[in-house]
Amino acid sequence: MRDERVPLRLGVLVSGRGSNLQAILDMAAKNPGASVVVVVSDRPGAFALKRVEGLGIPGVVAERGIFRNTDDFEAAICEALEKYRVDLVVLAGFMRILSPGFVRRFPRRILNIHPALLPSFPGLHAQRQALEHGVKISGCTVHFVDETLDGGPIIAQAAVPVLSNDTEETLSARILREEHRLLPETILEFVKQSR
Ligand code: GAR
């Protein structure tokens, strides 16, 4: 049980533009129960890092290429998460697979958002896979991260229609709107459950 007056400390891992990070920041600005305490990017140029500039939230870069091996890379990420005493790790467009060793350090404490209705279309280019398979409904999934690729326990999903004239861009945009609602809502639910 946690003291309700103390916000749940979120560490957000990103790789790119960070629109899901923005949705989390907007949610945390309105909710005293959750606070983003650190953002870690594996890409130094990620626009996500710009989103926390001037907010007093540290943006840490851990670029895989500058480390000798995956263990050292993940140790740098862990160090940042531990330094800022993160309670919940959120993968918000983080495009790397975390090792079983990393996942075991945060049991049921890592959430991921994926742009498909898992277990369909795990991995890269989920929206393209959905179009190629001709599904009529797709969506997004928030799940706990375990040692499998996009395979951990599902927490929440949102469905969107796939239209006959959809391109990867139009479908991605429709799914993304749902991601921006679903991920913050799921984090808030986690906050409630951990009280
Ligand atoms: C989102 O669509 C997210 O679901 C996806 O990357 C995008 C990141 O956008 N993640 C994955 O595909 C993970 N398998 P954002 O940087 O604007 O939040």
Side-chain angles (χ1 to χ4, degrees), residues 16-20 92-93 95 113-115 123 127 150 176 179:
R17 91 197 131 177
S19 69
N20 277 290
M95 302 310 274
I113 177 105
H114 184 75
Q127 303 94 330
D150 293 331
L176 196 62
E179 294 185 39

PDB file of all heavy atoms in Angstrom, residues 16-20 92-93 95 113-115 123 127 150 176 179, ligand 1:
ATOM      1  N   GLY A  16      11.196   8.090 -30.012  1.00  0.00           N
ATOM      2  CA  GLY A  16      10.875   8.939 -31.166  1.00  0.00           C
ATOM      3  C   GLY A  16      10.148  10.208 -30.826  1.00  0.00           C
ATOM      4  O   GLY A  16      10.549  10.949 -29.938  1.00  0.00           O
ATOM      5  N   ARG A  17       9.008  10.392 -31.506  1.00  0.00           N
ATOM      6  CA  ARG A  17       8.364  11.723 -31.423  1.00  0.00           C
ATOM      7  C   ARG A  17       7.706  11.978 -30.072  1.00  0.00           C
ATOM      8  O   ARG A  17       7.470  13.113 -29.682  1.00  0.00           O
ATOM      9  CB  ARG A  17       7.391  11.870 -32.596  1.00  0.00           C
ATOM     10  CG  ARG A  17       5.992  11.426 -32.338  1.00  0.00           C
ATOM     11  CD  ARG A  17       5.174  11.197 -33.564  1.00  0.00           C
ATOM     12  NE  ARG A  17       4.574   9.890 -33.338  1.00  0.00           N
ATOM     13  CZ  ARG A  17       3.731   9.285 -34.107  1.00  0.00           C
ATOM     14  NH1 ARG A  17       3.386   9.837 -35.247  1.00  0.00           N
ATOM     15  NH2 ARG A  17       3.240   8.130 -33.778  1.00  0.00           N
ATOM     16  N   GLY A  18       7.313  10.940 -29.358  1.00  0.00           N
ATOM     17  CA  GLY A  18       6.843  11.138 -27.981  1.00  0.00           C
ATOM     18  C   GLY A  18       5.436  11.679 -27.844  1.00  0.00           C
ATOM     19  O   GLY A  18       5.127  12.335 -26.849  1.00  0.00           O
ATOM     20  N   SER A  19       4.551  11.368 -28.802  1.00  0.00           N
ATOM     21  CA  SER A  19       3.176  11.866 -28.621  1.00  0.00           C
ATOM     22  C   SER A  19       2.486  11.144 -27.462  1.00  0.00           C
ATOM     23  O   SER A  19       1.671  11.745 -26.748  1.00  0.00           O
ATOM     24  CB  SER A  19       2.366  11.745 -29.916  1.00  0.00           C
ATOM     25  OG  SER A  19       2.104  10.398 -30.231  1.00  0.00           O
ATOM     26  N   ASN A  20       2.813   9.878 -27.227  1.00  0.00           N
ATOM     27  CA  ASN A  20       2.251   9.189 -26.055  1.00  0.00           C
ATOM     28  C   ASN A  20       2.839   9.751 -24.764  1.00  0.00           C
ATOM     29  O   ASN A  20       2.135   9.866 -23.760  1.00  0.00           O
ATOM     30  CB  ASN A  20       2.493   7.676 -26.151  1.00  0.00           C
ATOM     31  CG  ASN A  20       1.442   6.994 -27.016  1.00  0.00           C
ATOM     32  OD1 ASN A  20       0.285   6.904 -26.622  1.00  0.00           O
ATOM     33  ND2 ASN A  20       1.839   6.547 -28.199  1.00  0.00           N
ATOM     34  N   ALA A  92       6.734   4.027 -24.021  1.00  0.00           N
ATOM     35  CA  ALA A  92       5.837   4.841 -24.842  1.00  0.00           C
ATOM     36  C   ALA A  92       6.528   5.074 -26.186  1.00  0.00           C
ATOM     37  O   ALA A  92       7.200   6.081 -26.394  1.00  0.00           O
ATOM     38  CB  ALA A  92       5.523   6.167 -24.143  1.00  0.00           C
ATOM     39  N   GLY A  93       6.428   4.066 -27.061  1.00  0.00           N
ATOM     40  CA  GLY A  93       7.131   4.162 -28.333  1.00  0.00           C
ATOM     41  C   GLY A  93       8.617   3.886 -28.162  1.00  0.00           C
ATOM     42  O   GLY A  93       9.447   4.463 -28.861  1.00  0.00           O
ATOM     43  N   MET A  95      11.463   1.527 -28.922  1.00  0.00           N
ATOM     44  CA  MET A  95      11.529   0.541 -29.997  1.00  0.00           C
ATOM     45  C   MET A  95      12.652  -0.477 -29.812  1.00  0.00           C
ATOM     46  O   MET A  95      13.276  -0.905 -30.776  1.00  0.00           O
ATOM     47  CB  MET A  95      11.654   1.261 -31.351  1.00  0.00           C
ATOM     48  CG  MET A  95      10.508   2.227 -31.616  1.00  0.00           C
ATOM     49  SD  MET A  95       8.854   1.529 -31.371  1.00  0.00           S
ATOM     50  CE  MET A  95       8.588   0.793 -32.956  1.00  0.00           C
ATOM     51  N   ILE A 113       2.699   0.205 -24.633  1.00  0.00           N
ATOM     52  CA  ILE A 113       1.571   0.429 -25.545  1.00  0.00           C
ATOM     53  C   ILE A 113       1.976  -0.079 -26.917  1.00  0.00           C
ATOM     54  O   ILE A 113       3.088   0.203 -27.382  1.00  0.00           O
ATOM     55  CB  ILE A 113       1.144   1.913 -25.605  1.00  0.00           C
ATOM     56  CG1 ILE A 113       0.005   2.152 -26.608  1.00  0.00           C
ATOM     57  CG2 ILE A 113       2.299   2.857 -25.933  1.00  0.00           C
ATOM     58  CD1 ILE A 113      -1.314   2.366 -25.997  1.00  0.00           C
ATOM     59  N   HIS A 114       1.063  -0.855 -27.524  1.00  0.00           N
ATOM     60  CA  HIS A 114       1.357  -1.439 -28.836  1.00  0.00           C
ATOM     61  C   HIS A 114       0.213  -1.104 -29.784  1.00  0.00           C
ATOM     62  O   HIS A 114      -0.959  -1.241 -29.409  1.00  0.00           O
ATOM     63  CB  HIS A 114       1.526  -2.957 -28.704  1.00  0.00           C
ATOM     64  CG  HIS A 114       1.912  -3.606 -29.991  1.00  0.00           C
ATOM     65  ND1 HIS A 114       3.187  -3.520 -30.510  1.00  0.00           N
ATOM     66  CD2 HIS A 114       1.178  -4.324 -30.887  1.00  0.00           C
ATOM     67  CE1 HIS A 114       3.223  -4.157 -31.669  1.00  0.00           C
ATOM     68  NE2 HIS A 114       2.025  -4.655 -31.923  1.00  0.00           N
ATOM     69  N   PRO A 115       0.523  -0.711 -31.044  1.00  0.00           N
ATOM     70  CA  PRO A 115      -0.534  -0.248 -31.944  1.00  0.00           C
ATOM     71  C   PRO A 115      -1.238  -1.360 -32.721  1.00  0.00           C
ATOM     72  O   PRO A 115      -1.343  -1.318 -33.940  1.00  0.00           O
ATOM     73  CB  PRO A 115       0.214   0.708 -32.884  1.00  0.00           C
ATOM     74  CG  PRO A 115       1.591   0.152 -32.952  1.00  0.00           C
ATOM     75  CD  PRO A 115       1.857  -0.471 -31.605  1.00  0.00           C
ATOM     76  N   GLY A 123       5.416  -6.979 -32.659  1.00  0.00           N
ATOM     77  CA  GLY A 123       6.636  -6.575 -33.353  1.00  0.00           C
ATOM     78  C   GLY A 123       6.485  -5.277 -34.113  1.00  0.00           C
ATOM     79  O   GLY A 123       5.599  -4.465 -33.826  1.00  0.00           O
ATOM     80  N   GLN A 127       0.673  -1.700 -37.718  1.00  0.00           N
ATOM     81  CA  GLN A 127      -0.442  -1.181 -38.534  1.00  0.00           C
ATOM     82  C   GLN A 127      -0.339  -1.712 -39.966  1.00  0.00           C
ATOM     83  O   GLN A 127      -1.349  -2.056 -40.575  1.00  0.00           O
ATOM     84  CB  GLN A 127      -0.426   0.361 -38.535  1.00  0.00           C
ATOM     85  CG  GLN A 127      -0.485   0.994 -37.141  1.00  0.00           C
ATOM     86  CD  GLN A 127       0.888   1.312 -36.570  1.00  0.00           C
ATOM     87  OE1 GLN A 127       1.880   0.634 -36.872  1.00  0.00           O
ATOM     88  NE2 GLN A 127       0.972   2.333 -35.741  1.00  0.00           N
ATOM     89  N   ASP A 150       6.063  -8.513 -26.937  1.00  0.00           N
ATOM     90  CA  ASP A 150       4.678  -8.015 -26.968  1.00  0.00           C
ATOM     91  C   ASP A 150       3.685  -9.056 -26.453  1.00  0.00           C
ATOM     92  O   ASP A 150       2.522  -9.088 -26.878  1.00  0.00           O
ATOM     93  CB  ASP A 150       4.289  -7.568 -28.395  1.00  0.00           C
ATOM     94  CG  ASP A 150       5.074  -6.345 -28.843  1.00  0.00           C
ATOM     95  OD1 ASP A 150       5.467  -5.536 -27.985  1.00  0.00           O
ATOM     96  OD2 ASP A 150       5.310  -6.199 -30.062  1.00  0.00           O
ATOM     97  N   LEU A 176      -3.601   5.982 -33.112  1.00  0.00           N
ATOM     98  CA  LEU A 176      -2.843   6.845 -32.187  1.00  0.00           C
ATOM     99  C   LEU A 176      -3.773   7.669 -31.303  1.00  0.00           C
ATOM    100  O   LEU A 176      -3.496   7.871 -30.118  1.00  0.00           O
ATOM    101  CB  LEU A 176      -1.911   7.753 -32.994  1.00  0.00           C
ATOM    102  CG  LEU A 176      -0.791   8.444 -32.215  1.00  0.00           C
ATOM    103  CD1 LEU A 176       0.176   7.426 -31.586  1.00  0.00           C
ATOM    104  CD2 LEU A 176      -0.010   9.392 -33.129  1.00  0.00           C
ATOM    105  N   GLU A 179      -4.614   5.517 -28.582  1.00  0.00           N
ATOM    106  CA  GLU A 179      -3.459   5.307 -27.691  1.00  0.00           C
ATOM    107  C   GLU A 179      -3.372   6.438 -26.667  1.00  0.00           C
ATOM    108  O   GLU A 179      -3.114   6.216 -25.482  1.00  0.00           O
ATOM    109  CB  GLU A 179      -2.154   5.265 -28.499  1.00  0.00           C
ATOM    110  CG  GLU A 179      -2.039   4.085 -29.447  1.00  0.00           C
ATOM    111  CD  GLU A 179      -0.670   4.039 -30.125  1.00  0.00           C
ATOM    112  OE1 GLU A 179       0.347   4.323 -29.478  1.00  0.00           O
ATOM    113  OE2 GLU A 179      -0.625   3.724 -31.328  1.00  0.00           O
TER     114      GLU A 179
HETATM  115  C1  GAR B   1       3.065   4.429 -31.074  1.00  0.00           C
HETATM  116  O1  GAR B   1       2.138   4.160 -32.098  1.00  0.00           O
HETATM  117  C2  GAR B   1       3.314   3.186 -30.235  1.00  0.00           C
HETATM  118  O2  GAR B   1       2.166   2.405 -30.056  1.00  0.00           O
HETATM  119  C3  GAR B   1       4.324   2.459 -31.092  1.00  0.00           C
HETATM  120  O3  GAR B   1       5.191   3.476 -31.536  1.00  0.00           O
HETATM  121  C4  GAR B   1       4.459   4.695 -31.666  1.00  0.00           C
HETATM  122  C5  GAR B   1       5.199   5.769 -30.897  1.00  0.00           C
HETATM  123  O4  GAR B   1       4.613   7.025 -31.120  1.00  0.00           O
HETATM  124  N1  GAR B   1       5.005   1.441 -30.350  1.00  0.00           N
HETATM  125  C6  GAR B   1       5.337   0.271 -30.871  1.00  0.00           C
HETATM  126  O5  GAR B   1       5.152  -0.035 -32.029  1.00  0.00           O
HETATM  127  C7  GAR B   1       6.008  -0.695 -29.894  1.00  0.00           C
HETATM  128  N2  GAR B   1       5.973  -2.020 -30.380  1.00  0.00           N
HETATM  129  P1  GAR B   1       4.971   8.252 -30.157  1.00  0.00           P
HETATM  130  O6  GAR B   1       6.503   8.337 -30.080  1.00  0.00           O
HETATM  131  O7  GAR B   1       4.386   9.450 -30.845  1.00  0.00           O
HETATM  132  O8  GAR B   1       4.352   7.993 -28.814  1.00  0.00           O
END
